[in-house]
Amino acid sequence: MNETVRESMEFDVVIVGGGPAGLAAAIRLRQLSPETSVCLIEKGSEIGAHIVSGAVIEPRALAELLPDWKERGAPLNTQVTAEEMLYLTETGSLRVPFLDKFMPHMANHGNYIVSLGEVCRWLATQAEELGVEIYPGFAGAEVLIENNRVVGVATGDMGITREGKPGPNYQPGMELRGTYTLFAEGCRGSLTKQVMAHYDLRKGVDPQTYGLGIKEVWEVPAEKHRPGLVQHSFGWPMDDQTYGGAFLYHFGENLVSYGFVVGLDYPNTWLSPFEEMQRLKLHPAFRKHLEGGRRVAYGARALSEGGLQAMPRLTFPGGALIGDSAGFLNVPKIKGTHTAMKSGMLAAEAVVDAMQSQRAEPATFTQRVKESWVWEELRTARNIRPAFARFGAKKGAIYSALDAMIFKGRAPWTLHFKHADNEVLKPATLTAKPNYPKPDGQLTFDRLSSVFLSATNHEEDQPVHLHVKNQALWKTVNWDVFRAPETRYCPAGVYEVVDEAADPKLQINAQNCVHCKTCDIKDPCQNIDWTVPEGAGGPNYPAGM
Amino acid sequence: MKIVVPVKRVVDYNIKPRVKADGSGVETAGVKMSMNPFDEIAVEEAVRLKEKGAATEVVVVSIGVQQAQDTLRTAMAMGADRAILVLAEESPEPLAVAKVLKAIVAKEEPGMVILGKQAIDDDMNATGQMLAGLLGWGQGTFAGKVEVADGSVRVSREIDGGTEEVSLKLPAVITADLRLNEPRYASLPNIMKARKKPLETLNVADLGVDTTRRLTVVSVAEPAQRAAGVKVGSVAELVEKLRNEAKVI
Ligand SMILES: Cc1cc2nc3c(=O)[nH]c(=O)nc-3n(C[C@H](O)[C@H](O)[C@H](O)COP(=O)(O)OP(=O)(O)OC[C@H]3O[C@@H](n4cnc5c(N)ncnc54)[C@H](O)[C@@H]3O)c2cc1C
Ligand SMILES: Cc1cc2nc3c(=O)[nH]c(=O)nc-3n(C[C@H](O)[C@H](O)[C@H](O)COP(=O)(O)OP(=O)(O)OC[C@H]3O[C@@H](n4cnc5c(N)ncnc54)[C@H](O)[C@@H]3O)c2cc1C
Ligand code: SF4
């Protein structure tokens, strides 16, 4: 953006993103090759500041990475001890019997309920001990490509004013040049998007499909706390065309993690994921866990739900995509931490291999993935999410039970995703408005008091990081046809329509953005482009998230 | 002239503090911590004085837990030359801090100590004043402007309804107020360089200072929730409510 000379620094490997994938890759690199210089940047103000997850995690990849994780004090403290899968009607609930037979992917023996943010902070200390240089508060803003090879990234300029000019505190960005660059930005990475376009990595694969997860952490009275309890639900309040469900995990010291995930291929433009997640708490099956407690944290994040069918080519000259950036999440399990970590570890191995043989592309990564348990796991899971997209919630559930029991995931066919999530919204006049209850201030809340709990902060005087590419298109499509769906799907109240009656205009309250990436995914014409704001901006999720 | 700047590691100003369930204090486990914002201003001022040629070295000091070294690294990325970490329990009391600082001053012999006017965690607003008292130095608290002249410093103090100009003989203690300056960003190249700047670690015991707590926290509570407002339909209703419900007229 600016012509000032940027400083630059050379590393063997540059990693963009400090989630489980990036941190596992960094650790693996230094374990395999202690001389390799590894630099990791994270846009959050500290590691974990932008992490939203459930999270029930499988310790499999962690045990492979750091076999003595228990002795090292990994914050995996609550083992799953009981679990329930509920099918909800508006007032009642049915428990799915024989969970491990009908829905084996939902069985959680041996897994742990954690705060993934805390796990990431711990992984970061492990990585630093091994000599990884970690720089939180710096966002990768630009991919550096020279002679068709990715040669690193540049961090964003700091201190640019709202008008786009250098302010009194201006600091130019810095080039972090790496022989190899790993993109570990999580779901819908902004640089990943550019790399995929440049190298056409999505050629011949299904469109990626996404979900939006909104989560709260509650502190409940000790007598209500049942550490180790895992509860999932499907059915109400989602209709049959909408994929969605809720989770509730008791963990830590009187904490309960409650969240709701909705498939972003939902057709009803009036649907508000935020209000669905709020009203679900009023259902007796959830109310009984939370009543009498207080909400201590709030956050939201998109997740990649396309699975194997939507996975792009993983490598390109100068680097690879890992974790949720590539779409390694196991959807029916809603677990992506163990696969993200494993993908990072395999990429590290491929990079070390490429470094030794001086190849530009760490191409053995793909083969390593195919030979690993990750591939087997994702293959088994591959038909479940598309079955829901195709047959609806009830038949999709039946399909997935049959798939699990008869074929054990090895059905001789593969179901495909036909549409990208932004293409399936129906016009406002053709869909019915749900009737959402008003927040009661006890169990249910409005958006603004929720964003407040995410401790989101962006330097005020900076350019708006959400780009509406074509303003006219907003009026003719978003407003005229869909009545501004962004005002409903954005979980942080960033989008508002002003002057609705006379001359409707879109107002963007960018400082509230929690970096969930939903607008970048769901906007009907892909007219909204999410770019990184100034480093350290965004949520500051507290302990427990 | 050497300048010493004490910096405190506190709960980040963006975080909404959560009172522990037992009321014994504020939850800090796993909570994001960063440099007390007034201390950033103090560091910035010291670095600017060095850049102007009025100072030759800026030494930052933190008294607290091991992780306070992150705070010191940030200060060095902003331009401080070196750092001293004095290991102690988390958030020691102002008097203990002032005594430790007195020992550091004896060792370093600076011409000036610039502190924040208060730490945003316990809002004591006392350390600077106590340090000046212990050292017998002049103090310029709530500084909005600092100008060093030959052997003295002129400080504009932010006081109720205006500013007060004081002139102090050096060495002196200054505490930084909000409007003194706008601290710079620690740039990535400078953060990288700061990793190589010297950081010395000491123990409170090495300095022979007694940091035993003298204050007891009785209880910590969150402010009472404000009751929701109501909309009144008319002026008459408002008057009626003010008279009979609020009983203010
Ligand atoms: C609501 C919800 C519930 C979930 N529940 C579970 C669960 O129970 N179990 C489970 O295993 N998984 C769960 N997942 C999935 C799991 O969280 C993800 O699969 C996993 O976090 C992916 O790891 P990652 O490292 O690929 O990406 P992320 O964890 O998303 O990490 C990416 C990091 O990169 C940073 N970053 C992004 N772009 C940039 C940039 N340009 N510059 C610098 N930094 C950048 C981000 O700030 C972030 O810190 C859940 C996800 C959600 C949203
Ligand atoms: C309404 C209000 C809101 C404020 N809000 C903020 C805020 O949000 N953030 C912030 O950073 N600052 C705030 N301040 C400023 C902050 O409260 C003061 O900076 C701080 O109280 C100064 O404390 P002190 O102990 O140094 O001195 P003082 O408050 O001046 O004195 C402390 C006490 O010493 C005694 N005393 C003082 N002088 C004498 C004397 N000559 N003889 C005998 N006894 C004496 C008095 O008992 C006095 O109460 C606010 C101030 C006010 C008035
Ligand atoms: S503006 Fe976009 S990325 Fe930010 S919170 Fe809203 S939907 Fe998510």
Side-chain angles (χ1 to χ4, degrees), chain A residues 453-470:
Chain A
L453 280 183
S454 69
T456 297
N457 185 43
H458 289 89
E459 167 63 47
E460 293 252 336
D461 194 14
Q462 66 170 308
V464 172
H465 69 281
L466 300 147
H467 299 170
V468 176
K469 293 181 245 176
N470 178 340

mmCIF file with all atom_site columns, all heavy atoms in Angstrom, chain A residues 453-470:
data_model
loop_
_atom_site.group_PDB
_atom_site.id
_atom_site.type_symbol
_atom_site.label_atom_id
_atom_site.label_alt_id
_atom_site.label_comp_id
_atom_site.label_asym_id
_atom_site.label_entity_id
_atom_site.label_seq_id
_atom_site.pdbx_PDB_ins_code
_atom_site.Cartn_x
_atom_site.Cartn_y
_atom_site.Cartn_z
_atom_site.occupancy
_atom_site.B_iso_or_equiv
_atom_site.pdbx_formal_charge
_atom_site.auth_seq_id
_atom_site.auth_comp_id
_atom_site.auth_asym_id
_atom_site.auth_atom_id
_atom_site.pdbx_PDB_model_num
ATOM 1   N N   . LEU A 1 453 ? -18.670 -8.989  25.611 1.00 0.00 ? 453 LEU A N   1
ATOM 2   C CA  . LEU A 1 453 ? -17.972 -10.061 26.331 1.00 0.00 ? 453 LEU A CA  1
ATOM 3   C C   . LEU A 1 453 ? -16.808 -10.660 25.545 1.00 0.00 ? 453 LEU A C   1
ATOM 4   O O   . LEU A 1 453 ? -15.984 -11.372 26.099 1.00 0.00 ? 453 LEU A O   1
ATOM 5   C CB  . LEU A 1 453 ? -18.956 -11.185 26.666 1.00 0.00 ? 453 LEU A CB  1
ATOM 6   C CG  . LEU A 1 453 ? -19.859 -10.986 27.864 1.00 0.00 ? 453 LEU A CG  1
ATOM 7   C CD1 . LEU A 1 453 ? -20.700 -12.231 28.065 1.00 0.00 ? 453 LEU A CD1 1
ATOM 8   C CD2 . LEU A 1 453 ? -19.043 -10.712 29.114 1.00 0.00 ? 453 LEU A CD2 1
ATOM 9   N N   . SER A 1 454 ? -16.775 -10.413 24.228 1.00 0.00 ? 454 SER A N   1
ATOM 10  C CA  . SER A 1 454 ? -15.676 -10.967 23.435 1.00 0.00 ? 454 SER A CA  1
ATOM 11  C C   . SER A 1 454 ? -14.439 -10.074 23.532 1.00 0.00 ? 454 SER A C   1
ATOM 12  O O   . SER A 1 454 ? -13.401 -10.397 22.987 1.00 0.00 ? 454 SER A O   1
ATOM 13  C CB  . SER A 1 454 ? -16.096 -11.108 21.973 1.00 0.00 ? 454 SER A CB  1
ATOM 14  O OG  . SER A 1 454 ? -16.237 -9.826  21.397 1.00 0.00 ? 454 SER A OG  1
ATOM 15  N N   . ALA A 1 455 ? -14.581 -8.934  24.253 1.00 0.00 ? 455 ALA A N   1
ATOM 16  C CA  . ALA A 1 455 ? -13.474 -7.983  24.427 1.00 0.00 ? 455 ALA A CA  1
ATOM 17  C C   . ALA A 1 455 ? -12.848 -7.606  23.088 1.00 0.00 ? 455 ALA A C   1
ATOM 18  O O   . ALA A 1 455 ? -11.633 -7.544  22.947 1.00 0.00 ? 455 ALA A O   1
ATOM 19  C CB  . ALA A 1 455 ? -12.428 -8.521  25.402 1.00 0.00 ? 455 ALA A CB  1
ATOM 20  N N   . THR A 1 456 ? -13.711 -7.394  22.105 1.00 0.00 ? 456 THR A N   1
ATOM 21  C CA  . THR A 1 456 ? -13.215 -7.050  20.780 1.00 0.00 ? 456 THR A CA  1
ATOM 22  C C   . THR A 1 456 ? -12.785 -5.597  20.722 1.00 0.00 ? 456 THR A C   1
ATOM 23  O O   . THR A 1 456 ? -13.460 -4.723  21.247 1.00 0.00 ? 456 THR A O   1
ATOM 24  C CB  . THR A 1 456 ? -14.313 -7.318  19.729 1.00 0.00 ? 456 THR A CB  1
ATOM 25  O OG1 . THR A 1 456 ? -14.595 -8.708  19.738 1.00 0.00 ? 456 THR A OG1 1
ATOM 26  C CG2 . THR A 1 456 ? -13.866 -6.908  18.340 1.00 0.00 ? 456 THR A CG2 1
ATOM 27  N N   . ASN A 1 457 ? -11.661 -5.378  20.109 1.00 0.00 ? 457 ASN A N   1
ATOM 28  C CA  . ASN A 1 457 ? -11.136 -4.030  20.011 1.00 0.00 ? 457 ASN A CA  1
ATOM 29  C C   . ASN A 1 457 ? -10.349 -3.874  18.718 1.00 0.00 ? 457 ASN A C   1
ATOM 30  O O   . ASN A 1 457 ? -9.570  -4.744  18.357 1.00 0.00 ? 457 ASN A O   1
ATOM 31  C CB  . ASN A 1 457 ? -10.221 -3.745  21.206 1.00 0.00 ? 457 ASN A CB  1
ATOM 32  C CG  . ASN A 1 457 ? -9.745  -2.312  21.226 1.00 0.00 ? 457 ASN A CG  1
ATOM 33  O OD1 . ASN A 1 457 ? -10.517 -1.390  20.991 1.00 0.00 ? 457 ASN A OD1 1
ATOM 34  N ND2 . ASN A 1 457 ? -8.462  -2.120  21.481 1.00 0.00 ? 457 ASN A ND2 1
ATOM 35  N N   . HIS A 1 458 ? -10.627 -2.831  17.989 1.00 0.00 ? 458 HIS A N   1
ATOM 36  C CA  . HIS A 1 458 ? -9.809  -2.485  16.829 1.00 0.00 ? 458 HIS A CA  1
ATOM 37  C C   . HIS A 1 458 ? -9.420  -1.024  16.989 1.00 0.00 ? 458 HIS A C   1
ATOM 38  O O   . HIS A 1 458 ? -10.246 -0.220  17.406 1.00 0.00 ? 458 HIS A O   1
ATOM 39  C CB  . HIS A 1 458 ? -10.600 -2.620  15.521 1.00 0.00 ? 458 HIS A CB  1
ATOM 40  C CG  . HIS A 1 458 ? -10.894 -4.033  15.132 1.00 0.00 ? 458 HIS A CG  1
ATOM 41  N ND1 . HIS A 1 458 ? -11.999 -4.708  15.544 1.00 0.00 ? 458 HIS A ND1 1
ATOM 42  C CD2 . HIS A 1 458 ? -10.203 -4.902  14.349 1.00 0.00 ? 458 HIS A CD2 1
ATOM 43  C CE1 . HIS A 1 458 ? -11.988 -5.940  15.041 1.00 0.00 ? 458 HIS A CE1 1
ATOM 44  N NE2 . HIS A 1 458 ? -10.912 -6.088  14.315 1.00 0.00 ? 458 HIS A NE2 1
ATOM 45  N N   . GLU A 1 459 ? -8.193  -0.699  16.662 1.00 0.00 ? 459 GLU A N   1
ATOM 46  C CA  . GLU A 1 459 ? -7.786  0.702   16.612 1.00 0.00 ? 459 GLU A CA  1
ATOM 47  C C   . GLU A 1 459 ? -8.815  1.436   15.748 1.00 0.00 ? 459 GLU A C   1
ATOM 48  O O   . GLU A 1 459 ? -9.123  1.016   14.640 1.00 0.00 ? 459 GLU A O   1
ATOM 49  C CB  . GLU A 1 459 ? -6.377  0.772   15.992 1.00 0.00 ? 459 GLU A CB  1
ATOM 50  C CG  . GLU A 1 459 ? -5.904  2.133   15.565 1.00 0.00 ? 459 GLU A CG  1
ATOM 51  C CD  . GLU A 1 459 ? -5.783  3.109   16.721 1.00 0.00 ? 459 GLU A CD  1
ATOM 52  O OE1 . GLU A 1 459 ? -5.210  2.733   17.747 1.00 0.00 ? 459 GLU A OE1 1
ATOM 53  O OE2 . GLU A 1 459 ? -6.276  4.255   16.566 1.00 0.00 ? 459 GLU A OE2 1
ATOM 54  N N   . GLU A 1 460 ? -9.394  2.518   16.291 1.00 0.00 ? 460 GLU A N   1
ATOM 55  C CA  . GLU A 1 460 ? -10.495 3.192   15.582 1.00 0.00 ? 460 GLU A CA  1
ATOM 56  C C   . GLU A 1 460 ? -10.047 3.801   14.262 1.00 0.00 ? 460 GLU A C   1
ATOM 57  O O   . GLU A 1 460 ? -10.728 3.702   13.248 1.00 0.00 ? 460 GLU A O   1
ATOM 58  C CB  . GLU A 1 460 ? -11.048 4.336   16.457 1.00 0.00 ? 460 GLU A CB  1
ATOM 59  C CG  . GLU A 1 460 ? -11.728 3.874   17.707 1.00 0.00 ? 460 GLU A CG  1
ATOM 60  C CD  . GLU A 1 460 ? -13.232 4.036   17.641 1.00 0.00 ? 460 GLU A CD  1
ATOM 61  O OE1 . GLU A 1 460 ? -13.700 4.888   16.867 1.00 0.00 ? 460 GLU A OE1 1
ATOM 62  O OE2 . GLU A 1 460 ? -13.926 3.285   18.350 1.00 0.00 ? 460 GLU A OE2 1
ATOM 63  N N   . ASP A 1 461 ? -8.890  4.462   14.324 1.00 0.00 ? 461 ASP A N   1
ATOM 64  C CA  . ASP A 1 461 ? -8.458  5.229   13.165 1.00 0.00 ? 461 ASP A CA  1
ATOM 65  C C   . ASP A 1 461 ? -7.680  4.343   12.200 1.00 0.00 ? 461 ASP A C   1
ATOM 66  O O   . ASP A 1 461 ? -6.469  4.402   12.116 1.00 0.00 ? 461 ASP A O   1
ATOM 67  C CB  . ASP A 1 461 ? -7.590  6.415   13.641 1.00 0.00 ? 461 ASP A CB  1
ATOM 68  C CG  . ASP A 1 461 ? -7.393  7.429   12.531 1.00 0.00 ? 461 ASP A CG  1
ATOM 69  O OD1 . ASP A 1 461 ? -8.124  7.359   11.519 1.00 0.00 ? 461 ASP A OD1 1
ATOM 70  O OD2 . ASP A 1 461 ? -6.506  8.292   12.676 1.00 0.00 ? 461 ASP A OD2 1
ATOM 71  N N   . GLN A 1 462 ? -8.416  3.490   11.468 1.00 0.00 ? 462 GLN A N   1
ATOM 72  C CA  . GLN A 1 462 ? -7.775  2.657   10.448 1.00 0.00 ? 462 GLN A CA  1
ATOM 73  C C   . GLN A 1 462 ? -8.809  2.410   9.355  1.00 0.00 ? 462 GLN A C   1
ATOM 74  O O   . GLN A 1 462 ? -10.005 2.543   9.586  1.00 0.00 ? 462 GLN A O   1
ATOM 75  C CB  . GLN A 1 462 ? -7.269  1.331   11.040 1.00 0.00 ? 462 GLN A CB  1
ATOM 76  C CG  . GLN A 1 462 ? -8.360  0.395   11.542 1.00 0.00 ? 462 GLN A CG  1
ATOM 77  C CD  . GLN A 1 462 ? -7.819  -0.987  11.893 1.00 0.00 ? 462 GLN A CD  1
ATOM 78  O OE1 . GLN A 1 462 ? -7.138  -1.629  11.109 1.00 0.00 ? 462 GLN A OE1 1
ATOM 79  N NE2 . GLN A 1 462 ? -8.124  -1.456  13.106 1.00 0.00 ? 462 GLN A NE2 1
ATOM 80  N N   . PRO A 1 463 ? -8.369  2.077   8.158  1.00 0.00 ? 463 PRO A N   1
ATOM 81  C CA  . PRO A 1 463 ? -9.338  1.835   7.092  1.00 0.00 ? 463 PRO A CA  1
ATOM 82  C C   . PRO A 1 463 ? -10.258 0.666   7.466  1.00 0.00 ? 463 PRO A C   1
ATOM 83  O O   . PRO A 1 463 ? -9.841  -0.245  8.177  1.00 0.00 ? 463 PRO A O   1
ATOM 84  C CB  . PRO A 1 463 ? -8.462  1.471   5.884  1.00 0.00 ? 463 PRO A CB  1
ATOM 85  C CG  . PRO A 1 463 ? -7.093  1.971   6.212  1.00 0.00 ? 463 PRO A CG  1
ATOM 86  C CD  . PRO A 1 463 ? -6.978  1.915   7.698  1.00 0.00 ? 463 PRO A CD  1
ATOM 87  N N   . VAL A 1 464 ? -11.512 0.705   7.002  1.00 0.00 ? 464 VAL A N   1
ATOM 88  C CA  . VAL A 1 464 ? -12.464 -0.370  7.264  1.00 0.00 ? 464 VAL A CA  1
ATOM 89  C C   . VAL A 1 464 ? -11.937 -1.659  6.619  1.00 0.00 ? 464 VAL A C   1
ATOM 90  O O   . VAL A 1 464 ? -11.593 -1.666  5.442  1.00 0.00 ? 464 VAL A O   1
ATOM 91  C CB  . VAL A 1 464 ? -13.841 0.003   6.690  1.00 0.00 ? 464 VAL A CB  1
ATOM 92  C CG1 . VAL A 1 464 ? -14.808 -1.173  6.780  1.00 0.00 ? 464 VAL A CG1 1
ATOM 93  C CG2 . VAL A 1 464 ? -14.399 1.209   7.435  1.00 0.00 ? 464 VAL A CG2 1
ATOM 94  N N   . HIS A 1 465 ? -11.838 -2.742  7.417  1.00 0.00 ? 465 HIS A N   1
ATOM 95  C CA  . HIS A 1 465 ? -11.217 -3.947  6.866  1.00 0.00 ? 465 HIS A CA  1
ATOM 96  C C   . HIS A 1 465 ? -12.205 -4.846  6.134  1.00 0.00 ? 465 HIS A C   1
ATOM 97  O O   . HIS A 1 465 ? -11.844 -5.914  5.657  1.00 0.00 ? 465 HIS A O   1
ATOM 98  C CB  . HIS A 1 465 ? -10.463 -4.716  7.960  1.00 0.00 ? 465 HIS A CB  1
ATOM 99  C CG  . HIS A 1 465 ? -11.350 -5.355  8.983  1.00 0.00 ? 465 HIS A CG  1
ATOM 100 N ND1 . HIS A 1 465 ? -11.922 -4.667  10.019 1.00 0.00 ? 465 HIS A ND1 1
ATOM 101 C CD2 . HIS A 1 465 ? -11.769 -6.630  9.122  1.00 0.00 ? 465 HIS A CD2 1
ATOM 102 C CE1 . HIS A 1 465 ? -12.641 -5.492  10.755 1.00 0.00 ? 465 HIS A CE1 1
ATOM 103 N NE2 . HIS A 1 465 ? -12.575 -6.695  10.224 1.00 0.00 ? 465 HIS A NE2 1
ATOM 104 N N   . LEU A 1 466 ? -13.472 -4.429  6.084  1.00 0.00 ? 466 LEU A N   1
ATOM 105 C CA  . LEU A 1 466 ? -14.479 -5.193  5.345  1.00 0.00 ? 466 LEU A CA  1
ATOM 106 C C   . LEU A 1 466 ? -14.797 -4.409  4.081  1.00 0.00 ? 466 LEU A C   1
ATOM 107 O O   . LEU A 1 466 ? -15.339 -3.310  4.154  1.00 0.00 ? 466 LEU A O   1
ATOM 108 C CB  . LEU A 1 466 ? -15.714 -5.375  6.223  1.00 0.00 ? 466 LEU A CB  1
ATOM 109 C CG  . LEU A 1 466 ? -15.392 -6.136  7.513  1.00 0.00 ? 466 LEU A CG  1
ATOM 110 C CD1 . LEU A 1 466 ? -16.244 -5.687  8.659  1.00 0.00 ? 466 LEU A CD1 1
ATOM 111 C CD2 . LEU A 1 466 ? -15.488 -7.626  7.278  1.00 0.00 ? 466 LEU A CD2 1
ATOM 112 N N   . HIS A 1 467 ? -14.398 -4.959  2.960  1.00 0.00 ? 467 HIS A N   1
ATOM 113 C CA  . HIS A 1 467 ? -14.546 -4.220  1.706  1.00 0.00 ? 467 HIS A CA  1
ATOM 114 C C   . HIS A 1 467 ? -15.808 -4.642  0.974  1.00 0.00 ? 467 HIS A C   1
ATOM 115 O O   . HIS A 1 467 ? -15.966 -5.815  0.637  1.00 0.00 ? 467 HIS A O   1
ATOM 116 C CB  . HIS A 1 467 ? -13.358 -4.488  0.777  1.00 0.00 ? 467 HIS A CB  1
ATOM 117 C CG  . HIS A 1 467 ? -12.047 -4.062  1.372  1.00 0.00 ? 467 HIS A CG  1
ATOM 118 N ND1 . HIS A 1 467 ? -10.840 -4.391  0.816  1.00 0.00 ? 467 HIS A ND1 1
ATOM 119 C CD2 . HIS A 1 467 ? -11.760 -3.341  2.480  1.00 0.00 ? 467 HIS A CD2 1
ATOM 120 C CE1 . HIS A 1 467 ? -9.863  -3.890  1.559  1.00 0.00 ? 467 HIS A CE1 1
ATOM 121 N NE2 . HIS A 1 467 ? -10.401 -3.255  2.583  1.00 0.00 ? 467 HIS A NE2 1
ATOM 122 N N   . VAL A 1 468 ? -16.692 -3.684  0.733  1.00 0.00 ? 468 VAL A N   1
ATOM 123 C CA  . VAL A 1 468 ? -17.821 -3.958  -0.148 1.00 0.00 ? 468 VAL A CA  1
ATOM 124 C C   . VAL A 1 468 ? -17.364 -3.533  -1.535 1.00 0.00 ? 468 VAL A C   1
ATOM 125 O O   . VAL A 1 468 ? -17.133 -2.354  -1.800 1.00 0.00 ? 468 VAL A O   1
ATOM 126 C CB  . VAL A 1 468 ? -19.074 -3.175  0.293  1.00 0.00 ? 468 VAL A CB  1
ATOM 127 C CG1 . VAL A 1 468 ? -20.213 -3.386  -0.695 1.00 0.00 ? 468 VAL A CG1 1
ATOM 128 C CG2 . VAL A 1 468 ? -19.487 -3.622  1.680  1.00 0.00 ? 468 VAL A CG2 1
ATOM 129 N N   . LYS A 1 469 ? -17.189 -4.534  -2.410 1.00 0.00 ? 469 LYS A N   1
ATOM 130 C CA  . LYS A 1 469 ? -16.532 -4.235  -3.683 1.00 0.00 ? 469 LYS A CA  1
ATOM 131 C C   . LYS A 1 469 ? -17.399 -3.342  -4.564 1.00 0.00 ? 469 LYS A C   1
ATOM 132 O O   . LYS A 1 469 ? -16.904 -2.456  -5.224 1.00 0.00 ? 469 LYS A O   1
ATOM 133 C CB  . LYS A 1 469 ? -16.202 -5.556  -4.412 1.00 0.00 ? 469 LYS A CB  1
ATOM 134 C CG  . LYS A 1 469 ? -15.144 -6.376  -3.671 1.00 0.00 ? 469 LYS A CG  1
ATOM 135 C CD  . LYS A 1 469 ? -14.811 -7.664  -4.419 1.00 0.00 ? 469 LYS A CD  1
ATOM 136 C CE  . LYS A 1 469 ? -15.226 -8.877  -3.603 1.00 0.00 ? 469 LYS A CE  1
ATOM 137 N NZ  . LYS A 1 469 ? -15.045 -10.156 -4.260 1.00 0.00 ? 469 LYS A NZ  1
ATOM 138 N N   . ASN A 1 470 ? -18.705 -3.602  -4.557 1.00 0.00 ? 470 ASN A N   1
ATOM 139 C CA  . ASN A 1 470 ? -19.586 -2.848  -5.444 1.00 0.00 ? 470 ASN A CA  1
ATOM 140 C C   . ASN A 1 470 ? -20.799 -2.378  -4.640 1.00 0.00 ? 470 ASN A C   1
ATOM 141 O O   . ASN A 1 470 ? -21.681 -3.174  -4.319 1.00 0.00 ? 470 ASN A O   1
ATOM 142 C CB  . ASN A 1 470 ? -19.981 -3.776  -6.606 1.00 0.00 ? 470 ASN A CB  1
ATOM 143 C CG  . ASN A 1 470 ? -20.948 -3.109  -7.570 1.00 0.00 ? 470 ASN A CG  1
ATOM 144 O OD1 . ASN A 1 470 ? -21.614 -2.127  -7.231 1.00 0.00 ? 470 ASN A OD1 1
ATOM 145 N ND2 . ASN A 1 470 ? -21.031 -3.668  -8.762 1.00 0.00 ? 470 ASN A ND2 1
#
